[in-house]
Amino acid sequence: MSFVWGAATAAYQIEGAADEDGRVPSIWDTYSHTPGRVRDGDTGDVATDHYHRWAQDVETMSALGLDAYRFSIAWPRIHDRRGIDFYSRLVDALLERGIAPVATLYHWDLPQSLEDAGGWPARDTAYRFAEYAERIGAALGDRVHTWTTLNEPWCSAFLGYASGVHAPGRTEPAAALAAAHHLNLAHGLAARVLPGRVSVTLNLHHVRGDAEAARRVDAVANRVFLGPMLDGAYPADLLEDTARITDWSFVRDGDEATIAAPLDVLGVNYYTPTLVRPWNGGTPRATADGHGDGTASPWVGCDDVEFVRQPGPYTEMGWSIDPTGLTDLLLRLHRDHPDMPLMITENGAAFDDQIDADGRIHDQRRIDYLRDHLAAVGRAMKAGADVRGYFVWSLLDNFEWAHGYSKRFGIVHVDYATQERTWKDSAHWYRDHIAGRPFDY
């Protein structure tokens, strides 16, 4: 089998052109333009100007030797035919260079008009998403290799509606659980109308520590999606843990069967493991997960759990570097769902990259991170996990959500003042690594 090597990006983080060719505002336009929401007042208005520089970026992908490119389609952009044409040109250019287009339909940029009508806590949003999926599937379905319905719905639901550290910035625990369900429903509805191969990408948490604390976190972090998507039902312990928050009456007869649409591959995003322990309420609650300030937690139903800072080293995000968690996570998925092919759809690290006097970016720490995590993937594969590919996050430095432009994940450096692209050492390393075709068999 030929292992797929790729790189990933997201529309709002790289495209810019926020008000061009009929694009309408998204929740991230609103959020980033709200004072105090995003670091340094940064917005995605220009980002890395990929909307105008896409041809150059495709040439970079070709030079890297990528087999596939995972990008997202901006829902707010396809209200106009010119937006659809942009993605059509991009897909054609990828195919001309032998790069498989892997298109994500939702990477967090909900049209603001739908948020005004209730957002993901409203059931109607799932139906509007299915209409969007059907429209873009009809336009590009003859050329897109794999469709990904949602990227990291945990972030959309719980960072967006519980802790408020992502758009739309609401802090309503019951609404977050309703949002999670309607994201699940949107996935199931879209999967049934999209042509060709269908996937979903989850940022599954590898949770360690106290057994009961880990169970509670695993329920609201992982099984809230894995349960209905792969097993056809929400786990009973999740419903019990959150019964005081909501009665789950937003789940209607037939919803779970709709959500459990067949998948061709499950996308896995991994950056760091999660360490938890019980919280007795006697001291300030630890929030070392980095997802909130402790006043509004994304961990709905986990009020008696705290998140422990793990041993270093750390990335610039403050996340511990521990590739063993990736091996363990992949083997857990293989054990629980042995017939489900897996794909690493995001993995990477932010570091404080500097351009040296020689004009190079010597990001050895990122190379070490990638090498060690790829070795972790190899160990999981050797133990039986059916992993089909790996997408580095990210192709380019970009707008890193609430962190603005302060965190650089790219293997290609972007000077935000000039938009000049410069390969980091990690890009050269990744190119050479791909050329060796490891994991092919």
Side-chain angles (χ1 to χ4, degrees), residues 351-370:
F351 292 110
D352 184 18
D353 302 320
Q354 302 293 327
I355 300 180
D356 289 352
D358 60 2
R360 297 280 298 274
I361 298 98
H362 301 295
D363 58 335
Q364 185 61 46
R365 293 184 66 195
R366 182 173 291 106
I367 293 172
D368 294 342
Y369 180 100
L370 297 177

Side-chain angles (χ1 to χ4, degrees), residues 58-379:
V58 170
E59 291 300 331
T60 295
M61 300 174 211
S62 181
L64 283 166
L66 300 185
D67 300 317
Y69 172 49
R70 178 176 176 254
F71 62 99
S72 78
I73 294 170
W75 190 352
R77 198 177 290 287
I78 61 90
H79 290 268
D80 190 289
R81 183 69 216 185
R82 291 170 292 179
I84 296 176
D85 289 345
F86 164 74
Y87 294 109
S88 183
R89 291 191 298 272
L90 174 63
V91 166
D92 285 345
L94 292 168
L95 291 173
E96 288 170 5
R97 289 155 182 80
I99 301 171
V102 177
T104 299
L105 291 182
Y106 188 70
H107 202 128
W108 308 353
D109 46 359
L110 183 70
Q112 182 61 45
S113 60
L114 289 177
E115 174 59 28
D116 294 341
W120 284 112
R123 186 179 182 88
D124 187 64
T125 303
Y127 296 115
R128 301 291 79 76
F129 181 78
E131 293 171 356
Y132 153 54
E134 190 166 24
R135 182 183 182 198
I136 201 68
L140 303 179
D142 60 332
R143 289 164 288 160
V144 166
H145 180 272
T146 302
W147 296 99
T148 300
T149 54
L150 308 172
N151 177 79
E152 299 188 354
W154 185 86
C155 294
S156 299
F158 296 102
L159 299 186
Y161 292 95
S163 68
V165 298
H166 277 191
R170 290 162 60 177
T171 53
E172 306 163 33
L177 291 169
H181 174 63
H182 295 136
L183 283 155
N184 281 332
L185 181 62
H187 157 74
L189 292 168
R192 295 173 188 277
V193 299
L194 286 167
R197 291 167 48 83
V198 176
S199 69
V200 67
T201 281
L202 305 178
N203 58 316
L204 298 170
H205 297 67
H206 179 62
V207 189
R208 296 167 170 163
D210 174 82
E212 173 60 13
R215 181 202 61 77
R216 296 176 74 90
V217 170
D218 183 67
V220 77
N222 300 328
R223 290 181 286 118
V224 66
F225 302 107
L226 291 172
M229 287 182 181
L230 299 186
D231 298 323
Y234 286 101
D237 62 327
L238 169 69
L239 305 185
E240 182 178 349
D241 290 344
T242 57
R244 62 180 178 77
I245 300 168
T246 181
D247 61 4
W248 289 81
S249 59
F250 43 76
V251 180
R252 299 183 184 176
D253 289 346
D255 280 2
E256 289 162 309
T258 298
I259 295 165
L263 285 175
D264 295 290
V265 65
L266 174 64
V268 177
N269 290 357
Y270 175 88
Y271 293 93
T272 187
T274 300
L275 181 62
V276 297
R277 67 188 177 199
W279 181 55
N280 59 17
T283 58
R285 186 182 181 196
T287 56
D289 63 312
H291 291 312
D293 60 5
T295 58
S297 172
W299 300 105
V300 177
C302 299
D303 294 342
D304 54 356
V305 176
E306 64 178 350
F307 295 79
V308 182
R309 182 170 173 81
Q310 300 175 73
Y314 306 100
T315 70
E316 283 295 305
M317 298 293 289
W319 299 340
S320 68
I321 300 173
D322 186 350
T324 66
L326 179 54
T327 303
D328 294 343
L329 176 60
L330 292 172
L331 291 178
R332 175 249 178 108
L333 291 169
H334 173 65
R335 180 183 67 250
D336 293 349
H337 307 281
D339 297 327
M340 178 57 64
L342 307 173
M343 187 82 70
I344 308 301
T345 40
E346 288 183 26
N347 178 241
F351 292 110
D352 184 18
D353 302 320
Q354 302 293 327
I355 300 180
D356 289 352
D358 60 2
R360 297 280 298 274
I361 298 98
H362 301 295
D363 58 335
Q364 185 61 46
R365 293 184 66 195
R366 182 173 291 106
I367 293 172
D368 294 342
Y369 180 100
L370 297 177
R371 179 187 292 115
D372 292 347
H373 282 76
L374 284 168
V377 173
R379 287 191 293 273

